[in-house]
Amino acid sequence: MTGDVELDQLRRCVELAEEALRAGDEPFGSVLVASDGRRLAEDRNRVVTGGDPTLHPEFALARWAATNLRPAQRSAATVFTSGEHCPMCAAAHGWVGLGRIVCASSAAQLADWLGEFGAPESPVRALPITRVVPELVVEGPFDELADEVRELHRRAVNGRG
Ligand code: ZN
Protein backbone atom coordinates (compact mmCIF):
# COMPACT_ATOMS: atom_id res chain seq x y z
CA MET A 1 0.00 0.00 0.00
CA THR A 2 1.25 3.41 -0.91
CA GLY A 3 1.53 6.25 1.65
CA ASP A 4 -0.08 9.70 1.85
CA VAL A 5 2.77 11.38 -0.02
CA GLU A 6 2.32 8.94 -2.90
CA LEU A 7 -1.44 9.41 -2.84
CA ASP A 8 -0.77 13.14 -3.26
CA GLN A 9 1.30 12.40 -6.37
CA LEU A 10 -1.62 10.38 -7.73
CA ARG A 11 -4.01 13.22 -6.90
CA ARG A 12 -1.81 15.54 -8.97
CA CYS A 13 -2.13 13.06 -11.86
CA VAL A 14 -5.92 13.17 -11.56
CA GLU A 15 -5.78 17.01 -11.57
CA LEU A 16 -3.72 16.88 -14.76
CA ALA A 17 -6.25 14.44 -16.25
CA GLU A 18 -9.04 16.88 -15.48
CA GLU A 19 -7.01 19.72 -17.01
CA ALA A 20 -6.65 17.60 -20.17
CA LEU A 21 -10.39 16.95 -20.27
CA ARG A 22 -11.16 20.67 -19.89
CA ALA A 23 -8.78 21.44 -22.75
CA GLY A 24 -10.55 18.95 -25.03
CA ASP A 25 -8.04 16.11 -24.68
CA GLU A 26 -8.47 12.68 -23.08
CA PRO A 27 -8.41 12.54 -19.28
CA PHE A 28 -4.97 11.19 -18.42
CA GLY A 29 -2.17 12.78 -16.40
CA SER A 30 1.20 11.58 -15.11
CA VAL A 31 4.13 12.77 -12.99
CA LEU A 32 7.75 11.63 -12.82
CA VAL A 33 9.22 11.61 -9.31
CA ALA A 34 12.88 11.23 -8.33
CA SER A 35 14.06 8.79 -5.66
CA ASP A 36 14.17 11.68 -3.13
CA GLY A 37 10.49 12.48 -3.78
CA ARG A 38 11.11 15.54 -5.94
CA ARG A 39 8.66 15.92 -8.84
CA LEU A 40 10.86 16.16 -11.93
CA ALA A 41 8.31 16.50 -14.71
CA GLU A 42 4.61 16.18 -15.36
CA ASP A 43 2.39 16.06 -18.39
CA ARG A 44 -1.15 15.41 -19.51
CA ASN A 45 -2.75 13.84 -22.55
CA ARG A 46 -2.60 16.09 -25.64
CA VAL A 47 -3.90 13.79 -28.42
CA VAL A 48 -6.65 16.13 -29.62
CA THR A 49 -5.10 19.58 -29.17
CA GLY A 50 -1.71 18.27 -30.32
CA GLY A 51 -3.20 16.48 -33.32
CA ASP A 52 -1.15 13.35 -32.59
CA PRO A 53 -2.68 10.18 -31.10
CA THR A 54 0.67 9.25 -29.52
CA LEU A 55 0.84 12.35 -27.29
CA HIS A 56 0.29 10.39 -24.08
CA PRO A 57 1.82 11.81 -20.88
CA GLU A 58 3.60 8.56 -19.97
CA PHE A 59 5.33 8.56 -23.36
CA ALA A 60 6.30 12.23 -22.93
CA LEU A 61 7.79 11.49 -19.49
CA ALA A 62 9.79 8.53 -20.82
CA ARG A 63 11.27 10.77 -23.49
CA TRP A 64 11.95 13.52 -20.96
CA ALA A 65 13.77 11.00 -18.78
CA ALA A 66 15.84 9.75 -21.72
CA THR A 67 16.98 13.30 -22.44
CA ASN A 68 17.45 14.57 -18.89
CA LEU A 69 18.33 11.69 -16.55
CA ARG A 70 21.23 9.28 -16.28
CA PRO A 71 20.35 5.56 -16.33
CA ALA A 72 20.72 5.20 -12.54
CA GLN A 73 18.40 8.17 -11.96
CA ARG A 74 15.85 6.68 -14.34
CA SER A 75 15.74 3.29 -12.67
CA ALA A 76 15.38 4.96 -9.25
CA ALA A 77 12.54 7.22 -10.42
CA THR A 78 8.81 6.46 -10.12
CA VAL A 79 6.08 7.33 -12.61
CA PHE A 80 2.69 8.07 -11.08
CA THR A 81 -0.24 8.08 -13.45
CA SER A 82 -4.01 8.49 -13.41
CA GLY A 83 -4.44 5.41 -15.60
CA GLU A 84 -2.26 2.39 -16.27
CA HIS A 85 0.10 2.79 -19.23
CA CYS A 86 -1.06 1.62 -22.65
CA PRO A 87 1.26 -0.89 -24.38
CA MET A 88 3.03 1.92 -26.31
CA CYS A 89 3.81 3.85 -23.13
CA ALA A 90 4.73 0.72 -21.18
CA ALA A 91 7.22 -0.16 -23.91
CA ALA A 92 8.70 3.37 -23.90
CA HIS A 93 9.01 3.19 -20.09
CA GLY A 94 10.75 -0.17 -20.38
CA TRP A 95 13.11 0.90 -23.19
CA VAL A 96 14.17 4.00 -21.25
CA GLY A 97 14.74 1.96 -18.07
CA LEU A 98 12.48 3.88 -15.71
CA GLY A 99 11.57 2.41 -12.31
CA ARG A 100 8.35 1.66 -10.51
CA ILE A 101 4.91 2.68 -11.80
CA VAL A 102 2.02 3.64 -9.50
CA CYS A 103 -1.41 3.82 -11.20
CA ALA A 104 -4.57 5.36 -9.77
CA SER A 105 -6.66 3.13 -12.07
CA SER A 106 -5.92 0.02 -14.11
CA ALA A 107 -6.20 -0.71 -17.83
CA ALA A 108 -8.81 -3.35 -16.98
CA GLN A 109 -10.92 -0.78 -15.11
CA LEU A 110 -10.67 1.63 -18.03
CA ALA A 111 -11.75 -1.05 -20.51
CA ASP A 112 -14.75 -1.89 -18.30
CA TRP A 113 -15.69 1.78 -17.89
CA LEU A 114 -15.40 2.58 -21.60
CA GLY A 115 -17.53 -0.46 -22.42
CA GLU A 116 -20.11 0.66 -19.89
CA PHE A 117 -20.19 4.20 -21.37
CA GLY A 118 -20.49 2.87 -24.93
CA ALA A 119 -17.18 4.31 -26.14
CA PRO A 120 -15.87 3.13 -29.52
CA GLU A 121 -13.48 0.18 -29.31
CA SER A 122 -9.79 1.11 -28.90
CA PRO A 123 -7.54 0.22 -31.86
CA VAL A 124 -4.86 -0.92 -29.36
CA ARG A 125 -5.46 -3.79 -26.96
CA ALA A 126 -5.43 -2.96 -23.23
CA LEU A 127 -2.78 -5.07 -21.50
CA PRO A 128 -1.39 -5.02 -18.00
CA ILE A 129 1.97 -3.19 -17.99
CA THR A 130 3.74 -6.32 -16.80
CA ARG A 131 2.66 -8.15 -19.95
CA VAL A 132 4.85 -5.64 -21.82
CA VAL A 133 7.64 -5.11 -19.25
CA PRO A 134 7.62 -8.26 -17.09
CA GLU A 135 10.15 -7.24 -14.41
CA LEU A 136 8.59 -3.88 -13.60
CA VAL A 137 7.10 -3.15 -10.18
CA VAL A 138 3.55 -1.82 -10.70
CA GLU A 139 1.23 -0.71 -7.89
CA GLY A 140 -2.44 0.16 -8.06
CA PRO A 141 -5.26 0.63 -8.75
CA PHE A 142 -6.40 2.60 -5.69
CA ASP A 143 -10.02 2.55 -4.57
CA GLU A 144 -9.63 6.05 -3.10
CA LEU A 145 -9.33 7.51 -6.60
CA ALA A 146 -11.32 5.12 -8.80
CA ASP A 147 -14.63 7.00 -8.68
CA GLU A 148 -13.00 10.29 -9.58
CA VAL A 149 -11.08 8.82 -12.52
CA ARG A 150 -14.18 6.93 -13.69
CA GLU A 151 -16.16 10.18 -13.67
CA LEU A 152 -13.55 11.94 -15.85
CA HIS A 153 -13.82 9.15 -18.41
CA ARG A 154 -17.61 9.27 -18.28
CA ARG A 155 -17.48 12.99 -19.05
CA ALA A 156 -14.97 12.40 -21.88
CA VAL A 157 -17.20 9.82 -23.55
CA ASN A 158 -20.55 11.50 -22.89
CA GLY A 159 -19.83 14.86 -24.44
CA ARG A 160 -17.95 16.30 -21.49
CA GLY A 161 -21.17 17.13 -19.62
ZN1 ZN B 1 -0.06 5.48 -23.70
Side-chain angles (χ1 to χ4, degrees):
M1 184 55 191
T2 196
D4 286 350
V5 173
E6 301 214 316
L7 214 47
D8 283 346
Q9 303 285 14
L10 287 175
R11 289 202 174 93
R12 178 60 189 151
C13 296
V14 176
E15 274 177 20
L16 287 162
E18 180 156 28
E19 190 182 306
L21 181 67
R22 280 199 308 267
D25 290 304
E26 293 175 1
F28 297 94
S30 311
V31 301
L32 175 65
V33 176
S35 56
D36 63 4
R38 250 177 337 123
R39 203 176 286 162
L40 298 171
E42 60 181 33
D43 202 9
R44 63 166 180 83
N45 180 285
R46 299 176 189 280
V47 300
V48 177
T49 57
D52 177 347
T54 70
L55 293 179
H56 297 186
E58 306 93 328
F59 199 8
L61 293 182
R63 286 179 153 163
W64 186 93
T67 303
N68 293 287
L69 300 179
R70 295 189 304 275
Q73 294 173 306
R74 291 181 218 155
S75 61
T78 301
V79 171
F80 293 84
T81 187
S82 64
E84 184 171 5
H85 291 42
C86 75
M88 171 186 77
C89 295
H93 186 105
W95 284 124
V96 166
L98 282 164
R100 186 171 63 117
I101 294 178
V102 184
C103 314
S105 63
S106 69
Q109 282 178 319
L110 178 64
D112 285 350
W113 294 334
L114 293 180
E116 183 186 332
F117 305 147
E121 188 134 352
S122 165
V124 174
R125 179 171 294 172
L127 293 175
I129 290 167
T130 50
R131 288 284 299 281
V132 181
V133 189
E135 301 304 319
L136 208 59
V137 176
V138 180
E139 292 175 38
F142 294 93
D143 290 344
E144 298 92 319
L145 297 162
D147 287 349
E148 208 175 328
V149 175
R150 181 182 180 282
E151 177 59 15
L152 292 177
H153 287 290
R154 191 197 61 74
R155 285 165 59 195
V157 173
N158 297 340
R160 299 165 192 280

Short mmCIF file of all heavy atoms in Angstrom, two decimals, residues 56 58 85-86 88-89, ligand 1:
data_model
loop_
_atom_site.label_atom_id
_atom_site.label_comp_id
_atom_site.label_asym_id
_atom_site.label_seq_id
_atom_site.Cartn_x
_atom_site.Cartn_y
_atom_site.Cartn_z
N HIS A 56 0.68 10.85 -25.41
CA HIS A 56 0.29 10.39 -24.08
C HIS A 56 1.31 10.90 -23.07
O HIS A 56 2.51 10.93 -23.37
CB HIS A 56 0.28 8.85 -24.02
CG HIS A 56 -0.71 8.20 -24.94
ND1 HIS A 56 -0.95 6.84 -24.93
CD2 HIS A 56 -1.53 8.73 -25.88
CE1 HIS A 56 -1.88 6.56 -25.84
NE2 HIS A 56 -2.23 7.68 -26.43
N GLU A 58 2.59 9.54 -20.41
CA GLU A 58 3.60 8.56 -19.97
C GLU A 58 4.72 8.45 -21.00
O GLU A 58 5.88 8.21 -20.65
CB GLU A 58 2.95 7.18 -19.78
CG GLU A 58 1.75 7.18 -18.84
CD GLU A 58 0.43 7.36 -19.58
OE1 GLU A 58 0.39 8.04 -20.63
OE2 GLU A 58 -0.58 6.81 -19.10
N HIS A 85 -0.49 2.57 -17.91
CA HIS A 85 0.10 2.79 -19.23
C HIS A 85 -0.54 1.89 -20.30
O HIS A 85 -0.79 0.71 -20.05
CB HIS A 85 1.59 2.46 -19.20
CG HIS A 85 2.44 3.40 -18.40
ND1 HIS A 85 2.07 3.91 -17.18
CD2 HIS A 85 3.67 3.91 -18.66
CE1 HIS A 85 3.04 4.69 -16.73
NE2 HIS A 85 4.01 4.72 -17.60
N CYS A 86 -0.70 2.45 -21.50
CA CYS A 86 -1.06 1.62 -22.65
C CYS A 86 0.20 0.86 -23.08
O CYS A 86 1.30 1.17 -22.62
CB CYS A 86 -1.62 2.49 -23.78
SG CYS A 86 -0.36 3.42 -24.69
N MET A 88 2.01 1.03 -25.73
CA MET A 88 3.03 1.92 -26.31
C MET A 88 3.84 2.60 -25.21
O MET A 88 5.08 2.65 -25.26
CB MET A 88 2.34 2.99 -27.17
CG MET A 88 3.27 4.10 -27.65
SD MET A 88 2.38 5.42 -28.53
CE MET A 88 1.62 6.32 -27.16
N CYS A 89 3.14 3.12 -24.20
CA CYS A 89 3.81 3.85 -23.13
C CYS A 89 4.57 2.89 -22.21
O CYS A 89 5.64 3.24 -21.70
CB CYS A 89 2.80 4.67 -22.35
SG CYS A 89 2.06 5.97 -23.35
ZN ZN B 1 -0.06 5.48 -23.70
#
